[in-house]
Amino acid sequence: MESIVFDSYRILTKEVALGLSADNIDTIKFLLRKTIGRGVLEKIVTGSDLVQLLEDKCWLSAENVDQLAKFLQLAECHDLKRKVQQYVDSAISRNLSNHDYYGLSGMHVTEHYIETSEYHKLCQHMLTNNTVILKCM
């Protein structure tokens, strides 16, 4: 993973952890009550504890912040949810073309492939502008 994404992710998780109030944490713990055991939830006291739990359960990572955003929305932490959205719009999308985030992968061309100058121009344009081509099905 590129360090820019990792650094942005660490900054995001720190801001979220510090921005959660005790009431916010209690709300999110309430939402987790059927999935996580009561003994585990009782040990969650700080925002850092909560972030660590989400990471341990693989519900939160540099490539996956969707569950965190849902919890923040349900806990009415709109400013923190906005920070998560800014992270998604910047760090992840900026590096999407360099990695296989979200299970995206390149198209396989199996026959009649010819590398042309137009292809090279397109690749250069995409690299310069940090863009990708997505095929929706």
Side-chain angles (χ1 to χ4, degrees):
M1 178 181 322
E2 294 225 0
S3 64
I4 276 183
V5 173
F6 186 75
D7 293 344
S8 297
Y9 172 73
R10 282 292 154 218
I11 291 168
L12 172 70
T13 54
K14 184 177 180 180
E15 287 178 349
V16 168
L18 294 173
L20 289 170
S21 69
D23 287 340
N24 299 144
I25 293 168
D26 287 343
T27 300
I28 295 171
K29 285 169 51 174
F30 178 78
L31 296 169
L32 291 168
R33 75 192 182 287
K34 291 186 179 181
T35 310
I36 307 293
R38 174 169 273 166
V40 173
L41 290 177
E42 288 174 355
K43 295 176 186 174
I44 304 300
V45 178
T46 67
S48 296
D49 295 337
L50 183 62
V51 167
Q52 185 64 51
L53 173 69
L54 296 176
E55 288 177 335
D56 291 346
K57 295 293 183 182
C58 299
W59 292 336
L60 177 60
S61 68
E63 299 88 19
N64 182 13
V65 294
D66 294 338
Q67 192 63 45
L68 176 62
K70 287 177 188 173
F71 287 137
L72 293 174
Q73 181 174 355
L74 292 169
E76 297 185 3
C77 303
H78 303 294
D79 55 333
L80 294 175
K81 185 180 181 295
R82 209 171 3 263
K83 289 182 182 200
V84 171
Q85 188 58 49
Q86 288 171 344
Y87 168 79
V88 169
D89 292 342
S90 62
I92 292 178
S93 63
R94 176 172 54 243
N95 292 286
L96 184 61
S97 62
N98 298 327
H99 302 284
D100 193 25
Y101 292 155
Y102 301 116
L104 298 173
S105 57
M107 227 176 11
H108 299 284
V109 179
T110 56
E111 55 185 85
H112 308 296
Y113 174 73
I114 301 171
E115 227 172 82
T116 64
S117 61
E118 287 83 10
Y119 167 80
H120 289 290
K121 287 179 188 175
L122 177 62
C123 289
Q124 186 58 45
H125 175 77
M126 291 172 62
L127 285 172
T128 303
N129 295 297
N130 289 325
T131 58
V132 296
I133 296 175
L134 297 176
K135 179 181 179 186
C136 299
M137 297 185 168

